[in-house]
Amino acid sequence: LNPNFRTKFSAFVVNDDGYSEAVTLNKDVNGEESWGVRAAASIDISETLTWDVSYDYIDASRTTLGSLAYDPDYLVRSGLQQGDCDGDVIGEYLNSLKGNCSRITTGGLTSNLAWETGLGTVNFITGYRTTEQKFALDFQVGGGITGSAGGFMIANDIEHTQLTQEVKLVGSTDNIDYVAGVFYLKEDATTDALDIFGLAPVGLTALVLGHKELENETDSLAAYAQGDFGTSGPLVLTLGLRLTQEEKSVGFSDLTQAYPAGFIPSTGAVGVRPTTANMIANGIPTSQEVTKLSPRLALTYIVSDDLLVYASATNGFKSGGWNARNNSVLTNTPFGPETANSFELGMKSTMMGGNLRFNLTAYALQVSDLQVLAGFNTPGGGIAFVTQNAADFSAHGIEFETAYAPTDNFQMFFNGSVSDGGEYSGVPPRLGAGGVPCTNNPEPANCTTSRDTPVRYPELQLNIGGIYTIPLANGGEFNLNGAVSYQSEIWTSSYNDTPTSTGIPFGGTTPITAPLS
């Protein structure tokens, strides 16, 4: 609008028919209808005060209905009619038998006020976000695969708000660069959750496995400071420290009620349903508090204008929480934080008059009390999937980055990483499916042991490509770019002793074996 008042507006629309066919309903599913807008402004209030502010809103409707691993055509067999997940998603399902939909609406406001002072730049950063998520999805497990009530059906209505506030100082002297600040986070969420298991392949007969309301809150406060000492010389020492104090709480209410005809209440005895009172009665804590000190130490040595080497050690943690998905209070167990120690040794370099850049880093990662989704042997002899501090984890690897510009208009890059794939260790004794010890070999289902391969951790990643720039007469430019990337095979489940699944696809007669996870 003028040199002191800059604005930016953007919007998007996505319309996708879907890649799966719901054979019972004779329609395409797993599509998306989404749109969003964003408005931002940057205002120079004075020579020392700048305000950046933005607002965004997104309305995303999509479905993620699964197909069996051995079904090559991604066919969805659910007979549950589609709804729009707009209003009372649980009521619409129970009274009108509509679901197989998902909708998320979210709006966020971000404000960053920067004030230039004699000590450095002070930033006052505020964020506020509200999110509403509604979904009713049929996982098609059990006898009700084609039934109008669905197979295994989960409906959730979630409201979430989050507020963050940060005050940060960034500055420097002749020999020191520094940053310090405080950070506060508060979030609140309420979830109404309904779980249904269809009993008949056709018609309306279904068990109500669970119907509850979950409320959870988080309050987190942190203070941090970091300094780079010796910035005027070849040797720079970095010292950093972050102190985090976090409180979390959780509470449940039983929403079991009189249901429409055909829905059979099966939410268990009153004393085992997920409620705050039942948690307390069974010795399950409803709040957690953790105080963590996270240090960082690094040494950087500038060998020349074209080469520096560095070594660093840092510590961090991931918060704990509760298992809230299950319908028995006995499996709504807490899990604690996991802690990571990371060590790096690396170099950054330029060669050939600055036309070639090569960076190399070797790292070692050690995680204690790793949070892993694994099987839990319930007192009643069943299996529930819960997150628990199931193991320690360690990994080592090398990452590299190469960029070469043979001409002013052409740049090539080659990046990648090589790792040992990591390993689990320190797994405590536990029972798997059927009460069989996880130490058995082969291990029973629903176990995570040191024999399993860590999830989503590729041993090799490579990315190679280039960018060619064509200058235009009006001062602009036209860019041509392309890249090829490769990632080695990874597991998506921590239980990976059974790599395949075998079955007969819908409408077929011949069994097919396909990768499972």
Side-chain angles (χ1 to χ4, degrees):
L1 302 180
N2 62 58
N4 298 321
F5 196 148
R6 300 161 297 277
T7 60
K8 181 179 180 181
F9 303 92
S10 58
F12 76 89
V13 175
V14 176
N15 283 293
D16 184 340
D17 290 338
Y19 60 86
S20 295
E21 179 185 357
V23 291
T24 308
L25 303 176
N26 192 27
K27 65 187 305 182
D28 291 335
V29 292
N30 287 345
E32 177 180 357
E33 293 183 2
S34 302
W35 63 273
V37 294
R38 184 177 186 269
S42 180
I43 308 167
D44 296 332
I45 301 173
S46 69
E47 291 184 357
T48 60
L49 200 61
T50 301
W51 185 31
D52 293 331
V53 60
S54 68
Y55 174 77
D56 65 82
Y57 181 82
I58 296 173
D59 187 331
S61 295
R62 61 174 67 92
T63 54
T64 52
L65 304 180
S67 55
L68 297 176
Y70 47 77
D71 196 329
D73 296 320
Y74 298 102
L75 297 179
V76 173
R77 309 187 192 187
S78 175
L80 179 64
Q81 296 291 325
Q82 282 196 285
D84 56 15
C85 280
D86 187 18
D88 179 8
V89 63
I90 294 178
E92 182 180 37
Y93 168 73
L94 290 173
N95 297 300
S96 303
L97 284 184
K98 290 185 177 181
N100 281 345
C101 56
S102 175
R103 187 175 185 184
I104 300 175
T105 55
T106 179
L109 179 67
T110 301
S111 169
N112 184 355
L113 189 65
W115 178 30
E116 300 291 341
T117 72
L119 294 175
T121 303
V122 180
N123 293 87
F124 302 88
I125 307 170
T126 306
Y128 180 76
R129 180 162 297 278
T130 62
T131 302
E132 187 174 86
Q133 181 181 15
K134 300 173 182 287
F135 64 85
L137 299 177
D138 180 12
F139 289 83
Q140 309 167 71
V141 178
I145 285 180
T146 60
S148 56
F152 178 47
M153 215 286 306
I154 295 177
N156 275 195
D157 190 334
I158 305 167
E159 294 183 356
H160 177 269
T161 61
Q162 181 188 84
L163 170 68
T164 59
Q165 179 63 57
E166 183 173 9
V167 181
K168 178 175 65 173
L169 169 66
V170 179
S172 63
T173 67
D174 292 340
N175 206 35
I176 302 173
D177 292 341
Y178 54 84
V179 57
V182 293
F183 177 84
Y184 175 71
L185 161 76
K186 181 175 179 60
E187 58 180 356
D188 298 275
T190 301
T191 303
D192 289 352
L194 175 74
D195 291 358
I196 298 288
F197 189 79
L199 292 179
V202 181
L204 171 58
T205 309
L207 296 177
V208 182
L209 301 180
H211 197 179
K212 57 184 179 289
E213 180 182 84
L214 162 68
E215 292 187 359
N216 57 287
E217 299 180 2
T218 299
D219 282 275
S220 182
L221 179 64
Y224 60 88
Q226 179 171 293
D228 295 333
F229 300 91
T231 54
S232 60
L235 185 63
V236 179
L237 171 65
T238 300
L239 296 175
L241 198 63
R242 180 185 180 99
L243 177 63
T244 304
Q245 184 175 29
E246 188 172 81
E247 296 181 6
K248 289 189 173 186
S249 62
V250 67
F252 289 92
S253 300
D254 181 25
L255 299 183
T256 302
Q257 55 190 262
Y259 295 100
F263 287 98
I264 305 170
S266 185
T267 53
V270 174
V272 298
R273 295 174 187 169
T275 66
T276 304
N278 286 343
M279 291 180 70
I280 296 173
N282 284 276
I284 300 175
T286 58
S287 63
Q288 295 187 34
E289 183 174 341
V290 62
T291 301
K292 286 285 188 178
L293 199 61
S294 303
R296 180 169 189 262
L297 170 66
L299 271 176
T300 302
Y301 183 68
I302 302 174
V303 180
S304 68
D305 291 342
D306 296 320
L307 176 65
L308 68 80
V309 293
Y310 67 93
S312 72
T314 188
N315 172 273
F317 79 99
K318 179 181 177 181
S319 300
W322 285 265
N323 290 283
R325 175 69 267 164
N326 299 296
N327 293 311
S328 168
V329 69
L330 301 177
T331 53
N332 285 2
T333 50
F335 52 91
E338 66 178 39
T339 303
N341 292 309
S342 178
F343 305 92
E344 290 188 19
L345 182 65
M347 58 167 282
K348 296 180 182 293
S349 66
T350 57
M351 293 170 274
M352 302 176 63
N355 290 332
L356 175 63
R357 180 176 69 244
F358 179 67
N359 300 332
L360 181 66
T361 300
Y363 68 86
L365 177 66
Q366 299 173 349
V367 181
S368 301
D369 301 318
L370 181 72
Q371 297 168 7
V372 173
L373 183 66
F376 179 90
N377 199 68
T378 66
I383 289 290
F385 289 100
V386 298
T387 297
Q388 49 193 335
N389 301 106
D392 296 333
F393 170 74
S394 62
H396 307 81
I398 295 175
E399 298 176 347
F400 65 90
E401 176 190 19
T402 305
Y404 175 54
T407 70
D408 292 340
N409 297 337
F410 183 43
Q411 177 177 304
M412 299 180 291
F413 56 86
F414 179 40
N415 311 320
S417 66
V418 181
S419 77
D420 61 357
E423 65 176 356
Y424 296 134
S425 62
V427 181
R430 82 173 40 93
L431 301 178
V436 179
C438 288
T439 52
N440 280 23
N441 193 3
E443 65 191 55
N446 309 321
C447 288
T448 299
T449 71
S450 58
R451 296 190 297 269
D452 293 318
T453 303
V455 299
R456 295 182 175 88
Y457 202 97
E459 294 184 356
L460 178 63
Q461 295 182 102
L462 298 173
N463 185 30
I464 186 170
I467 302 172
Y468 185 72
T469 302
I470 303 173
L472 302 179
N474 62 2
E477 59 184 31
F478 185 74
N479 292 321
L480 296 171
N481 65 81
V484 176
S485 62
Y486 169 81
Q487 175 184 282
S488 60
E489 185 179 73
I490 61 171
W491 287 93
T492 60
S493 169
S494 59
Y495 171 70
N496 42 59
D497 296 78
T498 304
T500 60
S501 175
T502 301
I504 299 176
F506 185 80
T509 58
T510 304
I512 292 179
T513 299
L516 184 61
S517 63

